């Protein structure tokens, strides 16, 4: 897989100017440095074979700059060799640049692979974990192969990487495979440059490698059965409705039959997950097509070596239990990515077929996914009946990535396994920055050169387990990429654990003096993240719609129109402030938001609403008092909360059990074919524009009272928001002369809203930027924090200002 780095690649075919050698044959020697993700991906044996194919002499070695090659021979062949490097590169390699320089021939006699050379301050890219490759899959299906049905089969083109690497350089002793001594057959492959397992660090077979076993809940060693039998038994138990904890690549999954509603409802009950969608796994695309619509782009993503969870529209009447994703027309689907998954999903002999397995993260509610045998058997004992364990340790916790196709292109929702720690490439040089990210869906980001290393998904920073996963994750990535941050960026919110972490760093005196700490406003970071991944540095109108973000005025923002670049932002418009009655309680209970919005409307209008009958009168009184007296009730301009209020008003969702639920269910019900929206009157001429949702809510109530179907009301509401966005952007364009718009924030995960918003903005001639590589939700915040902090400390004007704080102080 050669990722697209065209704009940066410069294959300098210097050979065209080669000096003429004796007897008409031009001889030359070329030194080549290949930069990019070229280590631990079978690059040196590839070069070795390529040099032999072209009958060239010389050497190759890994250095901290990349792969360094010298080849000598007829210049015509040297040219072909150089172009073949990019044309025929191994599937996992990501070549960013091939640099060549011409040298006089020295008379090499052979081509050899030399030992690696390391330089102190240089670093290399580390490969993410990659699904089993077709060659290995063929081997485990071949009864005559020595790896027949061996669940840890891998090669230089596939298998675990990031999750087993403890340190660099990437060599077996520095991975969790160090515990396994290779048998003579594996060793032979490992040291043979023409073998496809040459220097495959996790190389293993059933004689020498990791093994799998099955235990009852509550134990890790008293195995019921091992190896092939354990997998067969697990398959049987799954088909009978048992919940099995399965140790995977980046953590444990809880698995059960996705067509078995009894098993799923039991899992939901035990996991305290009433409604949050579960991901499922099927053997191949053919199976997926039996229950979901799959476009070509979606198939490509499903089958990609990263093997993410892809959100797909479900077909009606499929055998997949409705309990997998309640009140949702999408299913999160992935294909197997380890040999063990393949063995679990395949149909053997007379066994019943498994259409799909639920494969949800093995954790209690919002804690980090479990990775160790002991901790999993302790934490998950109430959730799973049996455990399918193995003894290849997971060093780095890495959840599954969640993604989707939007307008033909990938749009990532959770960036993790298969993607991290592959960097987001920026079009400018960065200082070494650590950005601590947000509270929910946390990821952090460290930068070096033009690379932004966005961490794997860390999770909701609400408990000590997630915090410790965050801290160890930061230390690990700093070590891997040899970064010692000069700048620390963090969210303005004083109560975020990630913010407190940054403050502790400043306080504990362990950082070198001169480290600068830069607080970053949440929505500014959202927009900057979108700009950074799109390579945009000019000012834009940033529309940041989300649930919660700390504002510069201490209120909760979330319906924001900013004019901004990396350094500055100005708030040009926002949703009108409304009371968030009871703070956090109002986020969990959307009906509280509905009451808050209805508070100032005449009773003549709201009197007949069923909402008021659904709420306990005592609580209704409490909420009203909270609104009146502002007890523990901040103000918010959050767009997410407006969606919550409408969802409750329409009796779709009064209380949520996972983040975003009320808005998601409101979106799912919206009539796709309905085009009209409510008219949203906007004040003109004064900035910041305060956008009052009251007229829209009145229209909704009128429609409700008139018996208009919920699907139509939802559609009209979505369209009203989309039109409002484009109108406000027009007003800002008139004022500031800025005609590009970037959309970010979790609200834009709403595809119904995003499509309509884009189409309105396009019609009005705006240049548009949305997220693709990085989530639009808080999982993408860290990237924005990093580029903003970098811009602020780099600007001479601001270097003198109060952004500069001493690290040791
Ligand atoms: Zn392979
Ligand atoms: Zn072996």
């Amino acid at each position: 897989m050669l990722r697209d780095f065209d704009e940066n690649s410069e294959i300098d075919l210097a050979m065209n100017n080669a000096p003429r050698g004796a007897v008409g044959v031009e001889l030359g020697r070329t030194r080549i440095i290949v930069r990019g993700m070229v280590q631990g991906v079978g690059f040196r044996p590839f070069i070795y074979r390529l040099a032999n194919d072209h009958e060239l002499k010389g050497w190759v070695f890994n250095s901290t700059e990349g792969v360094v090659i010298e080849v000598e021979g007829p210049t015509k062949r040297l040219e072909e060799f150089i172009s073949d490097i990019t044309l025929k590169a191994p599937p996992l390699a990501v070549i960013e640049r091939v640099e060549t320089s011409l040298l006089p021939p020295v008379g090499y006699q052979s081509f050899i692979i030399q030992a690696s050379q390391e330089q102190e301050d240089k670093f290399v890219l580390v490969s993410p974990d990659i699904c089993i490759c077709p060659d290995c899959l063929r081997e485990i299906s071949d009864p005559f192969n020595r790896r027949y049905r061996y669940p840890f089969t891998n090669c230089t083109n596939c298998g675990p990487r990031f999750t087993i690497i403890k340190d660099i350089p990437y060599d077996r002793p520095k991975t969790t495979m160090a515990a396994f001594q290779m048998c003579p057959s594996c060793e032979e492959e490992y040291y043979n440059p023409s073998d496809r397992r040459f220097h495959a660090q996790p190389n293993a077979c059933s004689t020498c490698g990791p093994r799998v076993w099955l235990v009852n809940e509550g134990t890790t060693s008293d195995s019921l059965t091992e190896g092939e039998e354990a997998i067969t038994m697990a398959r049987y138990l799954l088909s009978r409705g048992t919940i099995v904890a399965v140790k995977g690549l980046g953590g444990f999954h809880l698995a059960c039959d996705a067509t078995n509603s009894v098993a799923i409802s039991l899992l939901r009950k035990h996991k305290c997950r009433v409604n949050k969608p579960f991901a499922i796994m099927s053997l191949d695309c053919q199976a997926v097509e039996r229950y979901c619509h799959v476009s070509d782009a979606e198939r490509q993503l499903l089958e990609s070596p990263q093997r993410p969870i892809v959100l797909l529209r479900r077909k009606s009447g499929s055998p997949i239990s409705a309990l997998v994703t309640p009140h949702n027309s999408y299913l999160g689907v992935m294909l197997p990515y380890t040999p063990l998954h393949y063995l679990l999903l395949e149909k053997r002999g007379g066994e019943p077929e498994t259409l799909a397995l639920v494969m949800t993260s093995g954790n209690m509610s919002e804690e980090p996914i479990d990775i160790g045998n002991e901790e999993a058997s302790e934490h998950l004992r109430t959730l799973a009946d049996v455990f399918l364990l193995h003894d290849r340790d997971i060093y780095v916790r890495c959840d599954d990535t969640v993604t989707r196709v939007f307008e033909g292109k990938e749009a990532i929702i959770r960036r993790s396994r298969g993607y991290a720690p592959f960097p987001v490439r920026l079009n400018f040089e960065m200082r070494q920055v650590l950005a601590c990210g947000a509270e929910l869906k946390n990821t952090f980001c460290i930068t070096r050169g033009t690379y932004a290393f966005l961490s794997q998904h860390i999770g909701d920073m609400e408990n000590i387990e997630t915090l410790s996963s965050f801290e160890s994750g930061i230390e690990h990535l700093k070590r891997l990429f040899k970064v010692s941050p000069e700048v620390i960026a963090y969210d303005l919110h004083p109560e975020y654990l990630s913010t407190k972490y940054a403050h502790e760093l400043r306080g504990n005196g362990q950082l070198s003096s001169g480290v600068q700490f830069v607080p970053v406003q949440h929505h500014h970071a959202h927009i900057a993240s979108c700009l950074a991944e799109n390579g945009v540095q000019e000012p834009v109108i940033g529309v940041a719609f989300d649930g919660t973000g700390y504002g510069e005025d201490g209120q909760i923002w979330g319906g924001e129109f900013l004019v901004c670049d990396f350094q500055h932002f100005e708030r040009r418009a926002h949703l009108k402030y409304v009371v968030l009655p009871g703070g956090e309680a109002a986020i969990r209970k959307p009906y509280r938001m509905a009451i808050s919005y209805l508070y100032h409307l005449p009773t003549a209008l709201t009197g007949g609403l069923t909402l008021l009958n659904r709420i306990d009168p005592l609580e209704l009184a409490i909420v009203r008092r909270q609104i009146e007296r502002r007890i523990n009730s901040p103000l918010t301009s959050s767009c997410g909360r407006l969606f919550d209020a409408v969802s409750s008003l329409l009796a779709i969702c009064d209380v949520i059990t996972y983040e975003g639920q009320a808005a998601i269910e409101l979106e799912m019900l919206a009539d796709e074919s309905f085009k009209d929206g409510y008219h949203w009157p906007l004040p003109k001429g004064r900035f910041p524009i305060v956008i009052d949702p009251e007229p829209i809510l009145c229209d909704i109530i009128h429609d409700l009272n008139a018996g208009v179907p919920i699907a139509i009301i939802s559609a009209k509401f979505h369209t009203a928001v989309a039109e409002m966005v484009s109108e406000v952007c027009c007003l800002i364009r008139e004022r500031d002369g800025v005609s590009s718009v970037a959309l970010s924030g979790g609200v834009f995960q709403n595809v119904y809203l995003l499509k309509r918003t884009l189409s309105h903005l396009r019609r009005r001639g705006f240049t548009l930027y949305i997220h693709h590589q990085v989530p639009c939700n808080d999982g993408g915040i860290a990237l924005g924090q990093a580029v903003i902090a970098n811009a602020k400390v780099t600007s001479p004007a601001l270097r003198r200002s109060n952004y500069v704080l001493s690290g040791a102080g």
Side-chain angles (χ1 to χ4, degrees), residues 429-467:
E429 286 277 328
M430 290 277 290
R431 297 204 178 193
Q432 298 195 356
V433 183
L434 162 65
C436 301
E439 177 89 338
L440 297 179
K441 301 182 169 71
N442 179 278
T443 62
F444 60 87
C445 179
I446 60 174
T447 63
R448 202 191 149 139
T450 54
Y451 297 116
F453 299 98
L454 207 54
S455 77
Q456 73 274 27
H457 169 77
I458 303 290
D460 295 350
M461 299 265 282
E462 294 174 326
N463 50 56
I464 198 78
E465 290 78 8
T466 317
L467 180 64

Side-chain angles (χ1 to χ4, degrees), residues 132-133 135-136 154-158 196:
I132 181 173
C133 73
D135 289 332
C136 287
N154 66 82
C155 71
T156 46
N157 293 335
C158 73
R196 66 185 186 86

Side-chain angles (χ1 to χ4, degrees), residues 146 183 186 204-205 208:
R146 72 187 192 90
C183 70
C186 286
C205 73
C208 64

Side-chain angles (χ1 to χ4, degrees), residues 146-147 181-187 203-209:
R146 72 187 192 90
R147 288 195 175 79
Q181 175 79 42
M182 274 185 279
C183 70
S185 310
C186 286
E187 219 164 47
N203 190 25
C205 73
S206 57
T207 310
C208 64

Side-chain angles (χ1 to χ4, degrees), residues 231-251:
I231 299 168
T232 307
M233 172 88 87
R235 265 201 320 269
Y236 171 77
L237 290 171
L238 284 165
S239 74
R240 304 294 301 227
T242 305
I243 297 168
V244 182
V246 181
K247 186 176 180 181
L249 203 54

Side-chain angles (χ1 to χ4, degrees), residues 444-555:
F444 60 87
C445 179
I446 60 174
T447 63
R448 202 191 149 139
T450 54
Y451 297 116
F453 299 98
L454 207 54
S455 77
Q456 73 274 27
H457 169 77
I458 303 290
D460 295 350
M461 299 265 282
E462 294 174 326
N463 50 56
I464 198 78
E465 290 78 8
T466 317
L467 180 64
S468 94
S469 175
F470 167 81
E471 289 174 346
S472 60
I474 288 176
E475 290 311 313
H476 188 54
L477 281 203
K478 272 163 61 182
R479 198 164 60 237
L480 282 189
F481 300 115
K482 298 187 175 174
V483 170
S484 49
E486 308 155 77
V487 183
I488 314 272
Y490 58 96
D491 195 278
L492 273 185
H493 200 305
E495 293 305 317
Y496 279 4
L497 286 184
S498 54
T499 303
K500 290 181 172 170
Y501 169 83
H503 287 314
E504 260 165 47
L505 283 184
R506 183 159 57 194
N508 70 13
Q510 282 169 17
L511 296 175
S512 60
S513 63
V515 173
Q516 303 181 46
F517 288 78
V518 183
V520 178
Q521 202 280 324
H522 192 92
H523 302 96
H524 187 200
H526 266 308
I527 301 302
S529 166
C530 182
L531 297 185
E533 75 152 283
N534 282 291
V536 179
Q537 294 187 55
E538 300 79 51
V540 295
I541 301 169
V543 184
F545 281 1
D546 69 354
T548 301
Y550 198 78
E552 286 190 316
D553 56 2
Q555 308 296 356

